[in-house]
Amino acid sequence: MSYAICEAALLTTIQTSTANFTAANTSQGDYRILGSGRTHYVVLQLGSFENQRINIRGDHRRTWNINMELWVPFQGEISTVASVIRTQRQNLIDTISQYTHLTSSGAVYDAFVTQADEPLVDAIPGGPTCWKQVIVCQVKEDTGFTLID
């Protein structure tokens, strides 16, 4: 597998496993969804990775860190926005905790939310001012290679 396949599997899991996220408010790196009138959005972005050889045959274990950017536009009272970010962050954590193999992948043996930054005020040019929190989902897969030398 590859990072792109793991990221797509994470997006599919988020979109199909909870009513709170759909194709209308989630994307892979596409910020054009912000400002479409929703109360919250998730944009997946590249994160770091680690690669380990796990045996002499050439098998590898990859750990992909996928950044899930949770965006909540300022709409109404700050207490409402704070409630939305708390609720949707928990929805993401619970969904990934329930679907640790991701719903549409074969080689993923573990997906887990590992950490999050503090929410910050941010805006995309031409888009709304939002609270944004980067939540890291660690996706682990085993990959086999045939050694040539």
Side-chain angles (χ1 to χ4, degrees):
M1 284 186 25
S2 67
Y3 173 83
I5 292 171
C6 289
E7 184 181 81
L10 177 59
L11 183 65
T12 299
T13 301
I14 292 168
Q15 290 175 342
T16 60
S17 303
T18 176
N20 297 299
F21 297 99
T22 66
N25 67 344
T26 59
S27 76
Q28 290 175 276
D30 187 354
Y31 292 100
R32 292 177 293 181
I33 63 171
L34 299 178
S36 63
R38 306 287 194 265
T39 60
H40 57 278
Y41 307 88
V42 170
V43 178
L44 301 183
Q45 286 291 356
L46 293 167
S48 63
F49 75 93
E50 183 179 328
N51 199 22
Q52 297 176 303
R53 188 181 323 261
I54 56 175
N55 59 41
I56 60 171
R57 292 188 316 265
D59 295 333
H60 288 74
R61 177 161 294 150
R62 288 204 179 107
T63 302
W64 303 105
N65 291 309
I66 302 172
N67 293 328
M68 301 183 296
E69 296 179 357
L70 176 60
W71 294 81
V72 178
F74 285 104
Q75 298 173 343
E77 297 294 322
I78 191 71
S79 59
T80 302
V81 176
S83 178
V84 171
I85 202 165
R86 284 185 192 101
T87 300
Q88 298 313 325
R89 177 178 63 182
Q90 193 62 49
N91 283 335
L92 287 170
I93 293 167
D94 292 347
T95 296
I96 294 162
S97 294
Q98 186 177 5
Y99 295 95
T100 59
H101 295 270
L102 304 181
T103 55
S104 62
S105 70
V108 170
Y109 71 88
D110 188 31
F112 191 70
V113 173
T114 59
Q115 67 185 40
D117 295 337
E118 288 185 35
L120 301 173
V121 175
D122 202 347
I124 295 296
T129 300
C130 300
W131 254 359
K132 176 182 110 174
Q133 184 168 35
V134 178
I135 303 165
V136 179
C137 180
Q138 203 171 71
V139 178
K140 296 182 180 187
E141 66 167 339
D142 286 341
T143 304
F145 289 96
T146 301
L147 296 178
I148 296 174
D149 54 16

